[in-house]
Amino acid sequence: MALVLLSLLGACATTGGQGASDYGSLMSQAESAVSAGRVDAALVAFADAAKADPTKKEPWVRSAQLQFDKSNYARAIVAAEEVLQRDPDDMVADGILTVSGFRIANHSLQRLQGRGALSSETARREAETLAGTLKATMGDDILAPEEPQKATAARRARPAPRASAAPARPAASSASSESGGQSGADPFKNIGGN
């Protein structure tokens, strides 16, 4: 009986040291897979490394980066959240989380706009909140539409129309008045797409 107990204790001691070497080995395998262009194999190895040492943030950082690069923004967000649980000040994870969120929101808004669903009050309010947050965080220029130089030059060349000759426009939403009165402009097109 004592011999069995000693072998169990020896096995536990071996397993404790093996976890650290497994982690290092799995991280090396994952990085080799990345270098070889085998991203899916790398993601599996990073997940295994995260299981081998749940306290480490590095496998999650690399997973977040790879998922972001594959345009798997929801998975990138999950991995970035795992990083931030381990290190709330990690700037890479914060950046991935933020930009992934913007890309998901941008894609969703484009889809809703294509279906005419942004006319619903709830969707419009959420879009206005997002636009206000972007403007407050990144400055007024983030919501200014980009104009081709030719169109800008043509506008400068012709005289401005008289106010009475301008067609009536529908009432502008509070989002357009907050973004400098540019009703009809897509405030999200400057964020970037997939």
Side-chain angles (χ1 to χ4, degrees):
M1 183 69 160
L3 187 57
V4 171
L5 185 58
L6 279 173
S7 19
L8 284 175
L9 286 174
C12 289
T14 305
T15 306
Q18 187 178 358
S21 72
D22 282 350
Y23 172 80
S25 173
L26 289 165
M27 288 297 289
S28 293
Q29 287 175 12
E31 291 298 344
S32 294
V34 170
S35 296
R38 296 184 354 249
V39 176
D40 291 333
L43 287 168
V44 170
F46 283 129
D48 290 343
K51 290 176 192 168
D53 191 345
T55 64
K56 300 280 189 184
K57 71 175 187 174
E58 288 77 13
W60 292 107
V61 171
R62 294 296 285 136
S63 294
Q65 291 169 324
L66 292 172
Q67 294 290 6
F68 181 87
D69 290 344
K70 289 179 64 172
S71 300
N72 292 333
Y73 300 120
R75 291 179 181 167
I77 287 171
V78 170
E81 288 286 355
E82 289 289 339
V83 175
L84 294 172
Q85 286 178 11
R86 289 157 180 81
D87 180 5
D89 297 325
D90 190 285
M91 295 298 288
V92 172
D94 247 344
I96 290 171
L97 180 67
T98 302
V99 176
S100 294
F102 283 155
R103 293 216 175 146
I104 289 171
N106 186 40
H107 186 79
S108 297
L109 284 169
Q110 287 173 349
R111 196 173 54 246
L112 285 171
Q113 185 179 26
R115 294 182 192 161
L118 280 180
S119 58
S120 83
E121 190 59 33
T122 303
R124 190 150 216 50
R125 242 188 335 243
E126 289 299 320
E128 289 171 0
T129 300
L130 178 59
T133 302
L134 284 171
K135 185 177 174 183
T137 304
M138 303 179 89
D140 293 338
D141 293 343
I142 191 71
L143 297 180
E146 292 180 20
E147 297 181 26
Q149 290 180 347
K150 289 181 182 178
T152 304
R155 251 186 259 118
R156 284 186 202 139
R158 68 177 183 221
R162 292 183 299 199
S164 61
R169 289 185 169 190
S173 70
S174 60
S176 62
S177 63
E178 288 175 9
S179 64
Q182 299 165 356
S183 63
D186 180 5
F188 304 102
K189 76 176 182 180
N190 292 340
I191 295 172
N194 293 335

